[in-house]
Amino acid sequence: MAELSPLDAKLLAQDLPALALADVVSSVFSGQRGQLEYRAAGEPNKPVALMLHGLGSSSAGYRAQFAGLSRDFHVIAWNAPGFGDSSQIQGQDAGIEDYANALEGLLRALGIRRLAILVGSSWGSVVALAFARRYPALIGSLLLSAPNVARGHITGEARDAELNAWLRMADVDILASRAAVANRLVAPDAPTQVRQLVERLRDGMTTDGWRQAIRSLFTVYTPEIIPEVRCPIAILSGTLDQVAPYRDHAERLLAAAPWSTSQLFEDYGHILKLEAPSKFNAVVREIAA
């Protein structure tokens, strides 16, 4: 990976917008009501770009998009149900459709009738695809970064064994080296500024929210639903991604939706929005247009 450009360094150095809470009416929450935490930047009358984070992250992962896109867009990133101070989906289990429904409730709460672009990173790409299929009138375009095919195609004892293995590790009280986490998420020679931000991404996680999100991954297989999504789709992949390697994930999605566009980020890892922020932002502008 090359050193950060001055523009990228500036984007990553910007402060995050303050967190806010929206009161959301949705059947996925206990009592039909919950609260969803989010950040927003840019004028509300601008086209809306909404960002969905991955399993081990939060709205804070979109620091460079708030900084770099807010002149052209009203940029919003949520803390998914069960992350940060967002209400958890009722019950122990949650399907991916529950997250899509919660997101629709957030849009209603914020008075947003249509998204210019929906951006999903990693697990967020799974939620984004489910939302785009279920609510096609609410979305203009879709960007899937380091996308995940999810685990819904696994059945029987193999499914139970893999799910239980994931759940055993999903505990915020288990001590994990921040450096080791970053080593898995970014390219080996990622600049210090990037690594420091990535090491803090897990700070908004809760154990219950993490486990519920993991269970949702086992309720869908995204190559089966992407053919039903008819808005423009862009798929971004880092060639050094260890979490969602291109061949195992993006390639399968492209085979299922060959009209999608694809872009490989050479020598970058899983967190493209922080590793290559200005390049990432340029793709957002392009696909939203």
Side-chain angles (χ1 to χ4, degrees):
M1 178 192 296
E3 292 185 5
L4 286 173
S5 69
L7 174 57
D8 283 348
K10 182 178 180 180
L11 291 173
L12 296 178
Q14 300 304 302
D15 291 335
L16 284 164
L19 285 163
L21 278 173
D23 293 319
V24 175
V25 177
S26 175
S27 61
V28 306
F29 298 120
S30 177
Q32 313 294 304
R33 292 181 178 272
Q35 289 189 316
L36 288 176
E37 197 171 39
Y38 68 97
R39 302 179 193 268
E43 296 298 325
N45 61 340
K46 297 284 188 181
V48 179
L50 198 146
M51 315 276 170
L52 307 179
H53 62 78
L55 273 183
S57 189
S58 71
S59 58
Y62 287 102
R63 176 186 305 270
Q65 285 63 57
F66 290 121
L69 294 171
S70 57
R71 285 186 301 176
D72 304 311
F73 297 93
H74 185 47
V75 184
I76 300 171
W78 77 345
N79 285 346
F83 288 72
D85 285 332
S86 291
S87 301
Q88 191 166 331
I89 292 169
Q90 64 179 329
Q92 185 183 55
D93 295 330
I96 204 67
E97 296 292 337
D98 293 320
Y99 291 92
N101 291 343
L103 182 58
E104 188 273 336
L106 176 63
L107 296 188
R108 278 190 285 105
L110 298 180
I112 295 169
R113 296 184 178 182
R114 183 173 170 84
L115 302 175
I117 187 166
L118 179 61
V119 177
S121 176
S122 195
W123 171 68
S125 75
V126 184
V127 179
L129 278 168
F131 180 88
R133 178 180 65 164
R134 189 173 182 87
Y135 300 104
L138 300 182
I139 180 172
S141 58
L142 188 63
L143 190 153
L144 309 176
S145 177
N148 197 303
V149 298
R151 312 303 291 164
H153 58 304
I154 301 173
T155 59
E157 293 182 1
R159 176 193 182 277
D160 295 341
E162 183 172 339
L163 173 57
N164 289 332
W166 281 47
L167 292 175
R168 282 194 297 271
M169 298 302 297
D171 188 336
V172 297
D173 293 327
I174 295 177
L175 293 178
S177 163
R178 288 177 180 259
V181 171
N183 286 344
R184 180 165 168 75
L185 292 175
V186 299
D189 57 349
T192 300
Q193 187 178 5
V194 173
R195 293 184 63 87
Q196 288 175 342
L197 291 173
V198 171
E199 287 176 3
R200 301 205 300 265
L201 288 181
R202 291 162 59 99
D203 291 351
M205 295 173 63
T206 70
T207 296
D208 288 342
W210 190 3
R211 289 176 175 171
Q212 201 169 56
I214 285 172
R215 291 187 179 95
S216 77
L217 275 175
F218 288 77
T219 67
V220 64
Y221 182 55
T222 54
E224 293 178 349
I225 66 174
I226 195 172
E228 300 178 43
V229 177
R230 292 303 175 183
C231 67
I233 304 171
I235 296 176
L236 309 184
S237 303
T239 59
L240 301 181
D241 191 338
Q242 302 176 64
V243 177
Y246 174 85
R247 182 169 295 178
D248 296 333
H249 296 272
E251 189 173 89
R252 297 184 189 181
L253 290 169
L254 288 164
W259 59 87
S260 304
T261 62
S262 174
Q263 188 166 342
L264 286 173
F265 282 44
E266 292 289 342
D267 300 325
Y268 290 99
H270 189 66
I271 311 294
L272 300 177
K273 58 185 181 281
L274 292 176
E275 293 180 82
S278 59
K279 184 177 181 179
F280 186 99
N281 291 353
V283 179
V284 172
R285 289 190 181 92
E286 180 182 357
I287 190 68

